[in-house]
Amino acid sequence: MRKPKVGLLPLYVELYDISVPEVRPAINAAHKAASDKLKSVGLEVVDVPVCRLAPEFEQAIAAFEKENCDCIVTLHLAYSPSLQSEKALAATKLPLIIMDTTPDFTYDHTTDPDQLMMDHGIHGVQDMCNLLIRNKKEFQIFAGHLEKSNVALRVAAAARGAMIAAELRSARVGLVGGAFAGMGDFQLPEGEFKKDLGIETVNYDFAHGEQLISEITKADIDGEYASDSAAFDIDPALPRSLYDNTAKVALALRRWVKEESLSAVTVNFLATEGPNPGLPTMPFTECSRLMANGTGYAGEGDVLTAALTGAVLKAYPDATFTEMFCPDWEHGSVYLSHMGEFNYLSSDKKPYMCEKPFPYSSADNPTVAYATLKGGRALFINLAPFGSGDYTLTLATGEMLDIPEENTQRLSVNGWFKPDTAFESFLERFSLSGATHHSVLVYGDELDTFLSFAKIMGIKTNVIC
């Protein structure tokens, strides 16, 4: 997890420094107060001196780009002539968020007229927005008093969306075994994800994988077992030899992820068919552990959802890859599961590790660790490709249900999502949008973050709530 990094761009006018220099200390104090407020809502803020003239704006934005900021947040400290900032703002590729605010909550018939110098920045915002639109520069704007409204939280949500967009555009996804044959909804021709979204695919070399597996030592495996003994409730009947076989593959996959600096991985479980010494068993526990450690994952060779999961995990460490399996018509919820992969940070209790029967290939049985997905407010997220650069982000608000101890599905990845809208309508609208069968689950009321993400990415949205 990391904080969104924002470049705070303070706008002012040189005229006031010349004609009313005594105002500047209060202006500087307002600048610092805004920076402190953004930090208090979870943002990393890159501060620059107050900008008045075109060279100052150019220098500030160059600093934001050098610092790899996720976005720029503007702050009008007073009126600022738009032609001073226009070229620098139009030229940058960084997403732009306008925070339209002033220091005082009240400006009415009882206000001291001297406060006008502190509280008239909104018409500078209007001047600038006109020029941004003329330059076809996309932006988001949030208005309100810093302390008496939720404007800082709204800016923070948009900044998280910008961070997730930046992470997705720089994604490196390890593809193990290619895509599941015949599973078409998440696939595009080779190179399309890179061209459209910046996602780079790194193919797993099975010969190199075999070498990595051969380099895993008994000490490595014993260390992993000690770690897993603390993290999981391990079935006493689990054969240690079976555990060791899976651990070798898990540790080798972990080393490959580190070697390639991958942000996400997707594994096609059918690639274990063989014998295949580069993937002799399906490393379910490692796929899950990767998510718990901040690396994205999706099943069956789904590069797009793996990249999305990896980007989302930077902001929401307990998010997880998931899939709808079975409708519960009676209770208006849908059963979420997958073969054995989920983020352990999303579990309601310590997962239970055991042997998993694996009839899907000739591979050895692997270990798996099961738990129920924890309850709470949640957002169901799906990114679907349609070709020719066309994508749709489907977002559904709802609740992950708290599940009682008596749970017949406990020996599986399991959880139930209850959408806010009528269940039948939810299923209909989900598929009418063309959403794929692989998705990401995020905990919390986080719709605004992903609306901002979609806007920054230029992706269509379908909101079900």
Side-chain angles (χ1 to χ4, degrees):
M1 180 181 179
R2 70 174 178 87
K3 294 180 178 181
K5 183 187 283 191
V6 305
L8 180 59
L9 183 67
L11 293 92
Y12 197 52
V13 57
E14 185 188 40
L15 174 65
Y16 292 167
D17 276 341
I18 297 169
S19 60
V20 283
E22 65 274 14
V23 175
R24 188 59 182 271
I27 291 293
N28 290 341
H31 177 202
K32 183 179 184 304
S35 177
D36 290 345
K37 183 65 176 181
L38 292 180
K39 291 171 185 174
S40 76
V41 293
L43 302 181
E44 179 181 348
V45 179
V46 177
D47 285 308
V48 294
V50 172
C51 298
R52 308 158 305 163
L53 303 172
E56 296 169 349
F57 286 105
E58 291 166 3
Q59 185 175 4
I61 291 174
F64 297 152
E65 292 170 342
K66 185 177 181 180
E67 287 284 335
N68 293 316
C69 290
D70 297 305
C71 60
I72 295 170
V73 176
T74 69
L75 173 68
H76 274 76
L77 295 165
Y79 175 70
S80 179
S82 61
L83 290 177
Q84 296 292 344
S85 59
E86 173 198 17
K87 289 184 179 178
L89 288 173
T92 185
K93 292 182 179 178
L94 292 176
L96 186 59
I97 299 169
I98 298 167
M99 185 167 64
D100 193 4
T101 189
T102 55
D104 291 301
F105 184 57
T106 301
Y107 196 96
D108 66 6
H109 61 287
T110 67
T111 301
D112 184 340
D114 288 345
Q115 287 303 110
L116 182 142
M117 291 302 297
M118 300 299 299
D119 293 325
H120 70 284
I122 63 170
H123 66 272
V125 170
Q126 294 158 10
D127 184 355
M128 184 182 72
C129 287
N130 176 277
L131 269 290
L132 292 173
I133 292 169
R134 289 196 209 183
N135 281 282
K136 296 181 170 53
K137 174 66 177 178
E138 294 285 343
F139 63 89
Q140 299 175 76
I141 182 166
F142 304 99
H145 188 264
L146 272 177
E147 299 297 337
K148 302 288 188 177
S149 79
N150 65 352
V151 68
L153 291 173
R154 295 166 68 203
V155 167
R160 283 194 298 275
M163 183 183 80
I164 293 168
E167 293 287 346
L168 184 67
R169 286 172 171 152
S170 62
R172 280 175 57 84
V173 181
L175 174 58
V176 181
F180 191 106
M183 194 175 283
D185 58 352
F186 54 71
Q187 294 191 50
L188 284 182
E190 186 175 353
E192 290 291 295
F193 294 134
K194 175 69 173 176
K195 177 173 67 72
D196 295 342
L197 304 175
I199 299 170
E200 186 173 351
T201 303
V202 179
N203 286 292
Y204 181 74
D205 184 314
F206 286 96
H208 182 54
E210 181 180 1
Q211 178 187 340
L212 288 173
I213 291 170
S214 71
E215 293 171 354
I216 303 300
T217 66
K218 184 178 186 302
D220 295 330
I221 296 171
D222 288 345
E224 187 75 356
Y225 189 79
S227 176
D228 284 349
S229 296
F232 307 123
D233 287 328
I234 299 180
D235 180 1
L238 176 66
R240 181 59 195 265
S241 59
L242 185 144
Y243 173 89
D244 289 358
N245 288 340
T246 306
K248 283 184 182 180
V249 181
L251 290 165
L253 182 63
R254 195 179 308 168
R255 290 183 181 181
W256 181 64
V257 169
K258 185 175 181 180
E259 278 182 0
E260 294 290 347
S261 300
L262 301 177
S263 65
V265 175
T266 178
V267 182
N268 180 356
F269 65 88
L270 291 178
T272 58
E273 183 60 56
N276 182 354
L279 193 70
T281 192
M282 179 63 193
F284 287 116
T285 50
E286 184 59 21
C287 296
S288 300
R289 190 182 287 103
L290 285 171
M291 283 188 277
N293 291 330
T295 299
Y297 179 80
E300 287 92 50
D302 182 352
V303 169
L304 179 60
T305 307
L308 178 64
T309 307
V312 168
L313 283 168
K314 296 301 184 292
Y316 304 97
D318 56 354
T320 187
F321 163 72
T322 194
E323 185 173 314
M324 294 189 222
F325 268 71
C326 305
D328 179 1
W329 304 108
E330 180 179 358
H331 301 103
S333 64
V334 63
Y335 174 63
L336 304 183
S337 188
H338 209 254
M339 192 175 292
E341 314 99 310
F342 78 110
N343 183 350
Y344 293 139
L345 298 185
S346 66
S347 62
D348 68 344
K349 63 180 65 173
K350 185 182 287 190
Y352 176 73
M353 177 179 275
C354 58
E355 177 178 357
K356 179 177 179 61
F358 195 75
Y360 310 104
S361 78
S362 58
D364 296 333
N365 286 349
T367 57
V368 68
Y370 292 128
T372 299
L373 297 173
K374 63 186 177 183
R377 291 294 298 168
L379 183 68
F380 202 82
I381 303 169
N382 185 275
L383 181 56
F386 296 94
S388 302
D390 186 12
Y391 296 81
T392 295
L393 188 73
T394 297
L395 305 167
T397 61
E399 188 87 15
M400 286 299 295
L401 301 180
D402 286 311
I403 304 303
E405 286 295 317
E406 184 181 351
N407 180 1
T408 59
Q409 310 296 327
R410 65 187 183 280
L411 290 183
S412 65
V413 177
N414 70 97
W416 282 261
F417 175 74
K418 185 177 179 63
D420 288 335
T421 192
F423 182 58
E424 292 83 355
S425 175
F426 160 72
L427 290 179
E428 292 165 2
R429 292 165 65 186
F430 191 84
S431 289
L432 282 170
S433 74
T436 72
H437 74 289
H438 284 172
S439 297
V440 182
L441 182 75
V442 167
Y443 283 90
D445 286 308
E446 302 299 329
L447 180 62
D448 287 349
T449 290
F450 289 92
L451 290 174
S452 291
F453 161 75
K455 183 175 178 63
I456 290 165
M457 293 296 300
I459 292 172
K460 292 183 292 188
T461 55
N462 175 46
V463 179
I464 306 172
C465 60

